[in-house]
Amino acid sequence: MSAKILLVNPPIYDFAAYDFWLKPYGLLSVAGYLRGKADFALFDYLDRSHPFVAKQKELASDRWGRGRFYCEQIPSPKVLSHIPRYFRRFGLPRSMFKDFLTEEGPLDFVFVQTMMTYWYQGVQEVIEDIREVWPQAKIILGGNYVTLCGSHAQRLGADFLVTGTNLEPMWQYLENKPDLSQPALWESCEQLNVGVLKLTDGCPFNCTYCCVPKIYGKFKVRPLERSLAELELLAKREIENIAFYDDALLFEAEKALVPFLGEVLKRNIKVNFHLPNGLHARFVTKTQAELMVRAGFKTFYLGFESTSPMWQKHTGSKVSSDELTRAVEHLTAAGAEPASITAYQLLGHPDTDIQELEDSMRFVNSLGIRGMLADFSPIPGTPDGEAARQWLGSHFAKECKMGPVDMDEPLLHNKTAFPIIFLGFDEVNRLKDLQRKLNRSLAK
């Protein structure tokens, strides 16, 4: 008799959250390896195509499938109570999950995906409800939070933790053999408005603020046929918008992206592709820009944290100002709309004094493209995250009248909170207002 496995994408507890093509891709990928070997059900708290959400007009998607999550305001955790922002729970109501659990009947296993370390409260909620309704079910956690904060994750009461990308211990725990050629289990999504793909894993760079190498290891290309099978599966569902979750999509493009897009054109697959994770501007060539635009790429996000050569060198030398300029020229020459091109810049990085953030913002604006401030999160295990941790420890000891603070608390990694703590509420608002002003100027 096949095991019954429930897949859960938890709610988010945070100051802000937005559906930026956010799908439980890791969860569905793991389930896909067991296609035909188990009975699956999915509960996605963040499914905005769910009937409960779809009937609320204010949560409607934009033309590319993005939009706001259903949310409820809740009290801030004590360690974040001094942050002057409203704290919320994003996702379907908790009661809906309990009803779902009752209707689904006995469960053998529950796979729970984890993402941001500071979102663990949603995972904790899911575990509590499963224990209440089906206490005999074995709960398995995997993902970023488990990998980066394993000791903390053990406190939540799951039965098995999967760290990193080595799934072999989990297969042994399940007593089930995977078929690694199988695509993600997209058919478990009853309603589906956007899809996700990855052609590669890992990243060849070692940026001091990024945890990708720690989680995914060395850069490697995924099997092309499996990626194409996933695309075909999404195309059959008539999905119009697909986001790439790759962290280095253009690295060794001749082994991954180029043959993949060649097949997209050959098979005449018509979809809108998007790049939310940030493209390496250094690798945007004239030929690749033309290929991407021709294959259906509609939005382009480029990683560009600073015009400062000193800051670029200090954080990993990922991209220079000249490389960003050339990338924008290649993309616009290929037919990409300047309004569809965005450059990310970090807000609240510990080395803000050498980052020259305002100059960087104005430089991006001078290229005729949008800028976006990405709030810095002090990710544990990264050089910049550890530097921020030391600063936070000193800050709380000197300035916050909160008593002892546990510096291993993942809530302190919150990307909304750290820039405000580091720069101050007024300065963060000033910089964000400046970014909005610069972006508005492009529309004139």
Side-chain angles (χ1 to χ4, degrees):
M1 185 174 178
S2 296
K4 186 161 188 179
I5 301 176
L6 175 62
L7 310 174
V8 183
N9 190 27
I12 294 171
Y13 284 63
D14 203 344
F15 295 103
Y18 187 79
D19 187 4
F20 206 60
W21 302 293
L22 197 61
K23 291 296 178 185
Y25 183 62
L27 184 69
L28 297 178
S29 295
V30 171
Y33 295 143
L34 297 177
R35 181 183 272 103
K37 299 173 182 288
D39 294 327
F40 287 99
L42 169 67
F43 192 91
D44 184 357
Y45 276 95
L46 305 179
D47 178 13
R48 291 192 311 103
S49 60
H50 189 282
F52 175 83
V53 178
K55 65 183 180 182
Q56 302 183 52
K57 295 182 179 179
E58 70 273 15
L59 303 179
S61 299
D62 66 12
R63 63 173 176 156
W64 301 134
R66 301 166 296 190
R68 294 163 52 202
F69 292 115
Y70 173 79
C71 67
E72 300 169 340
Q73 186 178 332
I74 58 175
S76 297
K78 181 180 178 181
V79 74
L80 299 177
S81 60
H82 61 301
I83 302 299
R85 303 276 195 213
Y86 291 122
F87 201 72
R88 295 180 172 89
R89 177 192 177 280
F90 296 87
L92 296 173
R94 187 169 185 172
S95 60
M96 293 182 66
F97 182 56
K98 289 186 177 181
D99 292 342
F100 179 87
L101 286 173
T102 301
E103 294 169 1
E104 279 300 309
L107 306 169
D108 296 303
F109 299 97
V110 182
F111 294 178
V112 184
Q113 173 165 312
T114 73
M115 296 176 64
M116 303 301 185
T117 58
Y118 48 90
W119 287 354
Y120 74 84
Q121 290 171 293
V123 178
Q124 189 172 33
E125 173 192 309
V126 168
I127 293 175
E128 289 173 357
D129 291 344
I130 294 168
R131 292 297 188 219
E132 178 184 333
V133 181
W134 297 115
Q136 80 284 6
K138 300 298 183 182
I139 301 174
I140 299 176
L141 302 185
N144 295 0
Y145 161 64
V146 173
T147 301
L148 296 171
C149 301
S151 296
H152 189 276
Q154 289 176 355
R155 307 177 196 173
L156 300 192
D159 297 287
F160 193 84
L161 303 183
V162 181
T163 59
T165 58
N166 180 17
L167 302 180
E168 187 58 36
M170 186 183 74
W171 305 137
Q172 295 178 12
Y173 182 76
L174 295 171
E175 297 182 346
N176 208 331
K177 293 183 178 180
D179 180 354
L180 301 182
S181 68
Q182 289 291 319
L185 199 73
W186 287 108
E187 62 267 32
S188 65
C189 305
E190 292 185 10
Q191 300 89 20
L192 194 61
N193 57 344
V194 302
V196 172
L197 285 174
K198 281 189 79 172
L199 307 184
T200 63
D201 289 304
C203 181
F205 292 94
N206 285 287
C207 298
T208 55
Y209 46 82
C210 181
C211 63
V212 168
K214 184 173 182 178
I215 295 174
Y216 295 104
K218 294 182 179 180
F219 176 85
K220 55 185 176 295
V221 175
R222 291 187 169 192
L224 178 61
E225 288 307 315
R226 182 172 183 270
S227 299
L228 290 170
E230 289 194 330
L231 176 62
E232 292 283 5
L233 195 59
L234 292 169
K236 288 179 181 177
R237 296 287 301 269
E238 298 183 347
I239 302 304
E240 296 180 355
N241 294 289
I242 297 177
F244 283 92
Y245 274 12
D246 298 70
D247 295 290
L249 184 62
L250 292 183
F251 188 73
E252 296 187 356
E254 69 283 357
K255 297 180 181 178
L257 183 62
V258 171
F260 178 83
L261 294 185
E263 286 296 320
V264 170
L265 293 169
K266 180 180 177 182
R267 302 181 189 191
N268 197 33
I269 298 175
K270 302 294 185 182
V271 294
N272 303 314
F273 290 122
H274 307 279
L275 295 162
N277 275 15
L279 219 53
H280 287 84
R282 177 177 301 169
F283 302 118
V284 179
T285 65
K286 178 178 182 294
T287 301
Q288 288 171 351
E290 292 173 347
L291 178 60
M292 286 190 290
V293 171
R294 194 154 52 96
F297 280 80
K298 300 299 183 183
T299 61
F300 303 84
Y301 290 82
L302 303 171
F304 179 71
E305 283 71 36
S306 177
T307 56
S308 167
M310 184 186 301
W311 196 88
Q312 291 168 358
K313 181 178 180 180
H314 176 74
T315 57
S317 301
K318 185 172 73 174
V319 62
S320 69
S321 302
D322 289 343
E323 288 167 339
L324 178 66
T325 300
R326 284 195 296 272
V328 172
E329 290 174 348
H330 290 322
L331 289 170
T332 54
E337 293 291 332
S340 71
I341 305 173
T342 303
Y344 288 124
Q345 291 147 99
L346 281 176
L347 172 65
H349 187 275
D351 287 334
T352 294
D353 56 334
I354 64 170
Q355 188 183 2
E356 301 174 1
L357 181 55
E358 285 193 53
D359 289 344
S360 302
M361 294 162 63
R362 296 184 189 281
F363 172 73
V364 168
N365 179 260
S366 74
L367 299 179
I369 64 173
R370 297 178 69 255
M372 180 178 288
L373 294 178
D375 295 328
F376 172 78
S377 172
I379 302 172
T382 65
D384 294 349
E386 292 305 312
R389 171 193 172 96
Q390 293 179 15
W391 183 88
L392 275 171
S394 173
H395 172 81
F396 278 112
K398 293 179 181 179
E399 301 181 29
C400 292
K401 300 176 182 179
M402 299 174 58
V405 174
D406 179 7
M407 295 311 298
D408 291 327
E409 170 55 63
L411 291 173
L412 292 176
H413 307 157
N414 188 285
K415 70 180 182 66
T416 297
F418 184 81
I420 291 175
I421 297 171
F422 188 67
L423 296 176
F425 181 69
D426 291 338
E427 177 65 0
V428 167
N429 284 344
R430 185 186 73 80
L431 289 167
K432 291 192 173 183
D433 285 342
L434 174 59
Q435 185 63 82
R436 285 189 285 267
K437 180 180 178 181
L438 290 172
N439 286 342
R440 285 195 300 268
S441 71
L442 298 175
K444 296 180 179 178

